[in-house]
Amino acid sequence: MRKTSLTVLVLALGVFGIITTEMGMVGVLPQVSAELGVTPSTAGWLVGVFALVIAVSGPFTTLLASGIDRKKVLAAAIAVFAVSNAVYAVTTQYEVMLAFRVIPALFHPVFFAVALATAARLVPAKDATRATTTVFAGVTVGFAFGVPLTSYLAEHLSLASAFWFGALVNLVAFLGILRFVPSMPVGQRASYGAQLSILKRTRMWLTIASVVLVFAAMFSVYGYFAEYLGQVTHMDGTWVSAMLMAFGIVMILGNFAFGSLLRRNLVRTVVAYPALCLLVYVLLYAVGPLFAPMVLAVLVWGAVHSGGLIVSQSWLGRDASDAPEFGNSLFISFSNLGITIGTAVGGWVLAEYGARQLAWVGSGFAVAALIVMALRLSLGADRGGERQAVPSEPDAQALGEVGSEL
């Protein structure tokens, strides 16, 4: 059991390294622009291309890797991230850095999908959600500490040191996978057709739509965190940085809180999530101009925001239980689509109507997510998609509760 716990923690470290690589670039774009001699908008493609490649390629690369030993897949994927960070640290060519943003982005959804499924398979069924919640903690810790530390190193030491930090984290995760993750050859692999067949279900597409809307609700506001606090609450840069750190720390706690709620009752927690987002955004609108209340509101916001990852993954994984890794890849791709849609709509509203109105954008997406979830539940249970041994599902007792609600 102790080795299993270490394995799950190693997978969480790998997720931390991947998030630090993906999102850490956001905090160092000014230095990258200056170092490589490109415009800020050109440097911005280093972030945009990464997300776009994930959204487009995720399900396909995961399908292609579905017949390979899971340990080899995890080790190869994280090794690519370690090498890519090393390339960032030494290159002076924008084209080279851009290429090494595309390459790891191809492996990003594969690592996430396999890591989540592997974590759940290594523990008893009743602990599956706890294991996936721990892996997801790597995301929140990455946002809370990995991204700010990358920015700090670039600002106070050098841009290369920031990227060497990312390389080191991914290297440690690579060594941990070699040491603690058991060999997991694929026995009877489901055919590509069998895995793709889950997309024939109307229920699955409604679930996917709700995931897109939930992430749009989250990132239409969070994507402009600094602008909201700066323009509406009139916080200076120091306060905004402190709020980002506090937001990330609270996210870690919220991640485990939502994991506990999912183990108790999946459906109620999932449906409650967009309703909580709606309440938070109403709160942000109400107290936005008030400094002290907004500080407290940010903490509430962070706690609720953190749940979107594990809640959405559990919701989609429940309908994709007969193709869990492919289902996880769908989650990663369509959540990135939701982020893209949310930030695009949020950016337009920010430019046309001002930062304070962002709260209503998030509220609108949250209401739309609730409507789609209600439509999904109205169709009843999909027996083909509710088999046992689901990597993202809660324990047997919670499954019984879900079945009784449908």
Side-chain angles (χ1 to χ4, degrees), residues 139-149 244-245 247-252:
V139 176
T140 53
V141 175
F143 275 104
F145 299 107
V147 174
L149 183 55
L244 275 170
M245 180 69 77
F247 189 96
I249 293 172
V250 173
M251 276 184 67
I252 299 172

Side-chain angles (χ1 to χ4, degrees), residues 220-221 278 281-282 285-286 355-366:
S220 59
V221 187
L278 176 60
Y281 293 147
V282 171
Y285 184 85
R356 195 176 184 192
Q357 307 309 318
L358 288 169
W360 298 122
V361 181
S363 298
F365 280 124

Side-chain angles (χ1 to χ4, degrees), residues 88-102:
Y88 305 156
V90 300
T91 189
T92 58
Q93 299 295 317
Y94 172 79
E95 293 78 10
V96 173
M97 186 174 287
L98 183 64
F100 277 87
R101 292 295 284 177
V102 171

Side-chain angles (χ1 to χ4, degrees), residues 138-341:
V139 176
T140 53
V141 175
F143 275 104
F145 299 107
V147 174
L149 183 55
T150 299
S151 179
Y152 178 87
L153 290 172
E155 181 70 26
H156 296 279
L157 292 180
S158 67
L159 181 62
S161 68
F163 292 136
W164 283 121
F165 165 68
L168 177 62
V169 171
N170 285 289
L171 176 61
V172 172
F174 170 75
L175 296 174
I177 288 169
L178 294 183
R179 173 66 179 83
F180 294 108
V181 175
S183 178
M184 300 178 69
V186 178
Q188 185 176 2
R189 177 178 65 86
S191 68
Y192 293 153
Q195 295 181 73
L196 288 168
S197 67
I198 66 174
L199 294 176
K200 296 178 180 179
R201 306 168 187 161
T202 302
R203 297 169 178 83
M204 173 58 73
W205 284 106
L206 287 171
T207 300
I208 287 172
S210 66
V211 168
V212 172
L213 290 167
V214 163
F215 272 80
M218 293 165 62
F219 284 88
S220 59
V221 187
Y222 175 75
Y224 303 96
F225 184 96
E227 286 82 356
Y228 195 91
L229 294 185
Q231 296 180 25
V232 180
T233 316
H234 304 296
M235 291 186 179
D236 60 23
T238 300
W239 267 100
V240 170
S241 297
M243 289 295 94
L244 275 170
M245 180 69 77
F247 189 96
I249 293 172
V250 173
M251 276 184 67
I252 299 172
L253 302 176
N255 178 71
F256 288 101
F258 275 99
S260 177
L261 291 172
L262 284 166
R263 288 194 297 274
R264 295 179 182 179
N265 194 297
L266 188 146
V267 168
R268 289 178 183 171
T269 302
V270 168
V271 174
Y273 183 77
L276 287 173
C277 286
L278 176 60
L279 292 175
V280 166
Y281 293 147
V282 171
L283 174 65
L284 292 181
Y285 184 85
V287 306
L290 307 174
F291 198 98
M294 190 60 190
V295 170
L296 297 176
V298 166
L299 300 180
V300 176
W301 182 12
V304 172
H305 184 87
S306 65
L309 299 169
I310 185 66
V311 166
S312 297
Q313 190 268 340
S314 297
W315 179 234
L316 197 153
R318 174 174 163 271
D319 278 346
S321 61
D322 39 356
E325 290 173 2
F326 182 58
N328 284 334
S329 71
L330 291 173
F331 161 71
I332 295 161
S333 290
F334 282 99
S335 61
N336 273 275
L337 177 60
I339 292 171
T340 302
I341 292 172

